[in-house]
Amino acid sequence: MKNKVLITGGAGYIGSHTCIALHEADYDIVVYDNLSNSSREAINRISTLIGQNIEFVEGDIRDTELLRKIFASHEFFGVIHFAGLKAVGESVAKPLLYYNNNVSGTINLLEVMTEYNVKNLVFSSSATVYGDPESLPIDESSKRSCTNPYGQSKLMVEHILEDLAISDTGWNMIALRYFNPVGAHTSGKIGEDPKDIPNNLMPYISQVAIGKLDKLNIFGNDYPTVDGTGVRDFIHVTDLAQGHVAALNYLDKQINLNESRTIQKNLVGFLPINLGTGKGTSVLELISAFSDVSGKTIPYQFTSRRSGDISSCYASADKAKSLLEWQAKLSITDMCKDTWHWQSMNPNGYE
Ligand code: NAD
Ligand code: UDP
């Protein structure tokens, strides 16, 4: 029998790409999303791409009764939990909203999962939990610290999952710490669709390239990096989506292994894993790669550093390789090409 998985936040940027990867890997999926930062059109497009209607429930992870109804009417193997708010600046202005949505919402989901004895979880964490790293590349044992409510909400959920794993060895939880997801599906039908002016670099660059924005402000050119601009570990969203399939496959394998033993013991508990490429790319390097694939000049100016930004951040991707047998395959050129394809086919996103 196929494993059925609940995808909270599955209409969003990373969730929509993961739905396709899961379908291709023969998982059954049910998407649960309140559409607060996504649109029904994303659901339609996922359905078109996979050639069948996906099961979609419009709902909030804080709605206990609705969640109960969904868990009562399906037999889930586990949950991939993407649902959450993600804008750092907004989280500073509205901390209660972020803690309520991301932390209380997750607690609510975990409570309902407990009620229905569904204890396999893949959680969307972030490299932001490492704060300003002491050394590079960043591995999973690095110190964690956060400076804004968004990051705190991710860190709090990680702590909650750790405590849960200690309290009950029935839980199997992987926290995937994403580095910088960019790019879009090769079809150009799904991609990142920021509601306002983008905060992140790649969507900002692509909106400059298409002419929606005049020029890019580069936040700082005096960092101790290859060219003075910030360095990040950009990872193609398709690779990231495959990382979720690998995480679910890993949980499935560990659970089967465990069940075949006479003495049952907890094998996964709480497992944090980085999803990155292991390579750093500077802001100027990304602009240059984007110009090459799009044939567009990206006008930019240097401005002061953005408060809270760090100089460099890239992953050690060894743990994902050894445990999940997963590694990123796509290049910076692929990331820029697919972003540009999505942007040019959908100048106004899903509208
Ligand atoms: P996104 O905003 O595109 O997707 C999140 C989805 O969750 C949206 O469709 C939104 O409508 C839904 N949602 C939000 N609150 C909800 C609630 N209370 N109930 C039900 N649905 C709700 O974001 P994304 O980029 O796809 O990110 C997915 C997850 O990965 C988020 O948890 C985010 O914090 C995390 N993450 C993202 C990045 C990134 O750069 N994109 C990096 C690290 C971690
Ligand atoms: N950045 C920039 N201009 C922008 C947006 C981002 O110069 O309009 C820089 C930012 O300072 C950082 C890098 O691009 O060095 C990546 O920023 P992003 O917000 O995409 O990711 P994060 O900082 O969260 O890793």
Side-chain angles (χ1 to χ4, degrees):
M1 203 177 79
K2 283 189 188 176
N3 276 335
K4 193 183 267 192
V5 186
L6 181 72
I7 319 285
T8 75
Y13 172 46
I14 304 169
S16 55
H17 291 81
T18 303
C19 286
I20 290 168
L22 288 169
H23 174 80
E24 285 167 355
D26 222 19
Y27 281 94
D28 261 349
I29 54 175
V30 176
V31 170
Y32 188 92
D33 197 305
N34 67 0
L35 302 181
S36 59
N37 195 40
S38 50
S39 73
R40 205 168 268 277
E41 179 58 15
I43 297 292
N44 297 340
R45 299 216 185 160
I46 300 168
S47 296
T48 307
L49 283 168
I50 67 175
Q52 67 187 61
N53 283 336
I54 57 164
E55 196 169 339
F56 172 63
V57 180
E58 185 171 346
D60 196 294
I61 51 167
R62 293 163 295 184
D63 183 343
T64 312
E65 283 318 310
L66 184 57
L67 275 180
R68 282 192 177 128
K69 223 171 108 190
I70 303 306
F71 276 82
S73 54
H74 294 88
E75 222 173 280
F76 290 122
F77 164 75
V79 176
I80 303 187
H81 178 33
F82 292 105
L85 299 172
K86 62 168 183 177
V88 174
E90 188 186 46
S91 81
V92 175
K94 301 176 182 169
L96 295 180
L97 174 68
Y98 273 65
Y99 291 126
N100 184 270
N101 199 75
N102 294 4
V103 183
S104 304
T106 301
I107 293 173
N108 198 47
L109 172 68
L110 293 168
E111 281 173 344
V112 177
M113 288 175 72
T114 308
E115 251 176 71
Y116 288 87
N117 200 29
V118 177
K119 295 185 174 175
N120 301 318
L121 176 76
V122 177
F123 170 63
S124 296
S125 190
S126 166
T128 195
V129 301
Y130 296 119
D132 198 349
E134 281 168 352
S135 61
L136 293 166
I138 307 171
D139 73 31
E140 289 81 353
S141 63
S142 304
K143 213 178 83 226
R144 288 172 291 171
S145 73
C146 288
T147 52
N148 59 70
Y150 166 69
Q152 293 286 10
S153 74
K154 291 289 168 195
L155 191 48
M156 283 178 188
V157 170
E158 285 205 1
H159 287 312
I160 291 167
L161 302 185
E162 280 167 295
D163 290 340
L164 200 54
I166 293 167
S167 74
D168 174 356
T169 54
W171 281 94
N172 300 292
M173 296 173 282
I174 299 182
L176 294 175
R177 295 178 180 153
Y178 313 150
F179 279 65
N180 289 61
V182 295
H185 193 259
T186 42
S187 63
K189 289 202 182 311
I190 56 170
E192 188 170 11
D193 180 20
K195 288 238 188 292
D196 302 307
I197 294 178
N199 295 308
N200 296 113
L201 180 62
M202 185 67 112
Y204 205 107
I205 292 177
S206 71
Q207 291 199 10
V208 171
I210 201 94
K212 286 177 83 175
L213 296 168
D214 288 346
K215 61 172 175 288
L216 172 74
N217 290 313
I218 298 183
F219 304 138
N221 62 345
D222 56 353
Y223 284 110
T225 60
V226 59
D227 52 27
T229 64
V231 164
R232 294 293 183 273
D233 185 342
F234 298 100
I235 173 167
H236 198 298
V237 66
T238 301
D239 276 332
L240 202 67
Q242 292 300 340
H244 292 76
V245 175
L248 277 184
N249 290 345
Y250 177 84
L251 290 182
D252 195 26
K253 199 168 87 190
Q254 298 305 314
I255 290 156
N256 286 332
L257 252 180
N258 202 22
E259 277 167 5
S260 64
R261 292 169 195 224
T262 40
I263 302 169
Q264 297 232 335
K265 67 178 180 107
N266 166 255
L267 285 175
V268 181
F270 172 78
L271 184 63
I273 300 185
N274 288 343
L275 290 186
T277 65
K279 291 184 215 102
T281 302
S282 75
V283 174
L284 285 174
E285 286 168 342
L286 191 68
I287 294 171
S288 160
F290 199 96
S291 289
D292 287 349
V293 304
S294 63
K296 301 276 178 190
T297 307
I298 314 293
Y300 63 80
Q301 66 185 12
F302 293 115
T303 61
S304 51
R305 291 180 177 193
R306 182 170 65 179
S307 145
D309 267 5
I310 55 174
S311 167
S312 297
C313 174
Y314 51 91
S316 158
D318 295 347
K319 194 170 171 186
K321 191 173 176 193
S322 62
L323 289 186
L324 305 186
E325 295 169 33
W326 168 93
Q327 76 189 109
K329 296 196 180 91
L330 298 167
S331 66
I332 288 285
T333 302
D334 297 318
M335 301 177 210
C336 293
K337 212 160 61 190
D338 292 334
T339 303
W340 180 234
H341 186 209
W342 153 254
Q343 180 75 74
S344 359
M345 281 180 69
N346 308 271
N348 298 314
Y350 287 117
E351 255 174 38

